Amino acid sequence: MPTTSAGLLPYRRLPGAGLEVLLGHMGGPFWARKDAGAWTLLKGELDPDEDPHAAALREASEELGMALPPSSAPDVELGEVRQRAGKRVLAWAREWPQPGPDLEQINSNTVEIEWPPRSGRRIEVPEIDRVAWLAPDEARRLAVSAQAAFVDRLEDALAMPGT
């Protein structure tokens, strides 16, 4: 049965009306040499009966290894996508005040995986091995394909008056 994850897409506005979003590169040996399709929202599976927005904030904090900044405005609801394997991903965006997090201080939580596959050997890897601020076009190119829609939806939401 497909799982449901909730995630956060931090963003920052740049001088001159530019925009960048913060994505994480998935950790572990499978993703180590991959770039396109290996970047993701800061997300994770919901706990039973957990509010999806609360789960998105919890997961983002865990994957960054730091507290999130308080929101100066309501988070932007970005809706849902279904990834290729059927996983549902719900997402919100939050503006990150300048100067933003020190990317060198990111310390993601870890997960245990079997590596190599079907070997019976277990290793511990960071869920996210690095993060980067990316322009929307670059974020769409690098993100898990279904998640590129979240960047489009954020740009649309920010283009609306009052956002």
Side-chain angles (χ1 to χ4, degrees):
M1 179 168 180
T3 59
T4 301
S5 289
L8 187 71
L9 182 61
Y11 69 94
R12 64 183 181 184
R13 299 173 200 252
L14 302 174
L19 174 71
E20 289 181 323
V21 296
L22 187 71
L23 293 180
H25 184 270
M26 293 182 268
F30 179 80
W31 301 104
R33 291 188 171 86
K34 294 179 177 13
D35 208 28
W39 291 77
T40 182
L41 272 72
L42 306 171
K43 65 171 183 48
E45 291 183 18
L46 293 127
D47 289 335
D49 301 319
E50 185 175 20
D51 172 73
H53 184 241
L57 300 178
R58 174 183 54 77
E59 285 291 338
S61 181
E62 288 175 3
E63 291 190 355
L64 291 172
M66 65 176 57
L68 299 175
S71 181
S72 60
D75 291 344
V76 178
E77 187 170 348
L78 300 176
E80 174 185 326
V81 298
R82 281 202 186 264
Q83 295 184 169
R84 193 172 300 134
K87 177 187 274 190
R88 291 176 59 220
V89 180
L90 311 170
W92 288 262
R94 175 175 287 185
E95 186 167 9
W96 200 299
Q98 294 292 352
D102 178 353
L103 300 186
E104 298 299 315
Q105 299 302 312
I106 301 304
N107 186 25
S108 177
N109 56 332
T110 60
V111 63
E112 191 176 275
I113 63 167
E114 183 179 27
W115 192 262
R118 296 175 294 287
S119 67
R121 183 171 163 252
R122 309 287 297 173
I123 63 171
E124 196 168 306
V125 299
E127 283 197 62
I128 298 295
D129 61 16
R130 64 188 181 276
V131 296
W133 288 107
L134 302 166
D137 286 344
E138 186 72 350
R140 280 186 281 271
R141 185 182 76 78
L142 295 176
V144 172
S145 60
Q147 294 180 20
F150 292 136
V151 178
D152 296 337
R153 293 173 192 172
L154 174 63
E155 284 187 308
D156 290 347
L158 295 179
M160 296 176 74
T163 57

